[in-house]
């Protein structure tokens, strides 16, 4: 909930007119992410692999391009510059430092969805292990790969997790509130 919500909140950095769409877009992403889980981790990785590659390529190209255009930006590696900026500008300095990531909002959202996929897959694995240890009652477990036994889908866990995530987004409505909780 917090990772997808905070990534989509980046839309507000692009323009404040997109603020009313943060919750609906977040919920749409969450629902689609959980809806495609039954296709299996292998299928998901065929989509997520290229997205991850593009994410890293965008970061690398952007970084190298800016360093070539202005090598003095390497001075930013000195933490004293950031400390000095924050000391002279106070809390508004944090907002200014965070405002430089607006072109990457879409890619950051995609990376967050991929990370969320890993959490969902982990939830299936932990639940299956708890069932095997007789800590939880039996549940339906579907194997989504003929070659890898660890690729599973658990409909009950998927639905329960989706409902909890949606309720968290609706209850807190922003990532900072969720982070404080």
């Amino acid at each position: 909930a917090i990772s997808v919500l905070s990534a989509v909140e980046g839309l507000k950095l692009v323009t404040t007119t997109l603020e009313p769409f943060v919750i609906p877009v977040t919920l749409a992403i969450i629902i689609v992410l959980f809806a495609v889980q039954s296709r299996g981790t292998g299928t998901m990785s065929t989509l997520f692999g290229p997205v991850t590659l593009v994410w890293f390529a965008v970061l690398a190209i952007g970084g190298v391009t800016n360093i070539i255009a202005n090598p003095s930006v390497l001075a930013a590696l000195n933490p004293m510059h950031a400390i000095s900026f924050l000391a002279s500008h106070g809390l508004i300095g944090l907002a200014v430092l965070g405002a430089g990531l607006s072109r990457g909002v879409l890619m950051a959202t995609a990376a967050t969805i991929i990370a969320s996929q890993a959490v969902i897959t982990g939830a299936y694995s932990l639940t299956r292990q708890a069932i095997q240890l007789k800590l939880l009652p039996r549940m339906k477990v579907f194997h989504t790969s003929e070659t890898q036994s660890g690729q599973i889908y658990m409909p009950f866990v998927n639905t329960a997790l989706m409902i909890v995530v949606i309720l968290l987004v609706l209850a807190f409505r922003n990532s900072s509130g969720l982070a404080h909780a």
Side-chain angles (χ1 to χ4, degrees):
I2 192 169
S3 57
V4 175
L5 185 55
S6 64
V8 176
E9 283 175 340
L11 290 173
K12 294 188 291 189
L13 295 175
V14 176
T15 176
T16 56
T17 58
L18 294 176
E19 188 167 354
F21 299 101
V22 169
I23 298 296
V25 168
T26 299
L27 293 175
I29 289 170
I30 289 168
I31 290 168
V32 168
L33 180 63
F34 281 99
V36 298
Q37 292 303 309
S38 63
R39 298 183 186 271
T41 308
T43 303
M44 302 299 292
S45 67
T46 59
L47 170 67
F48 290 161
V51 170
T52 304
L53 180 64
V54 170
W55 167 250
F56 287 123
V58 165
L59 291 177
I61 291 168
V64 170
T65 302
N66 287 306
I67 290 171
I68 290 170
N70 189 2
S72 66
V73 298
L74 291 174
L77 294 174
N78 181 350
M80 292 310 297
H81 295 296
I83 292 168
S84 172
F85 182 80
L86 289 174
S88 62
H89 292 88
L91 290 177
I92 194 71
L94 290 175
V96 170
L97 290 174
L101 302 166
S102 61
R103 291 185 292 168
V105 170
L106 187 60
M107 289 307 300
T109 303
T112 300
I113 292 168
I114 293 168
S116 299
Q117 170 65 38
V119 172
I120 294 167
T121 301
Y124 298 154
S125 179
L126 288 173
T127 304
R128 184 173 89 172
Q129 290 173 12
I131 291 169
Q132 290 171 337
L133 293 170
K134 299 189 182 348
L135 298 172
L136 288 175
R138 293 176 154 263
M139 294 180 209
K140 288 186 180 180
V141 177
F142 295 98
H143 293 271
T144 58
S145 171
E146 294 179 10
T147 59
Q148 296 184 353
S149 65
Q151 291 188 14
I152 59 172
Y153 168 70
M154 301 181 75
F156 177 79
V157 174
N158 190 67
T159 303
L161 199 54
M162 180 181 68
I163 290 169
V164 169
V165 170
I166 288 171
L167 289 175
L168 286 171
V169 169
L170 292 173
F172 290 95
R173 307 202 62 80
N174 63 58
S175 61
S176 62
L178 200 49
H180 287 107

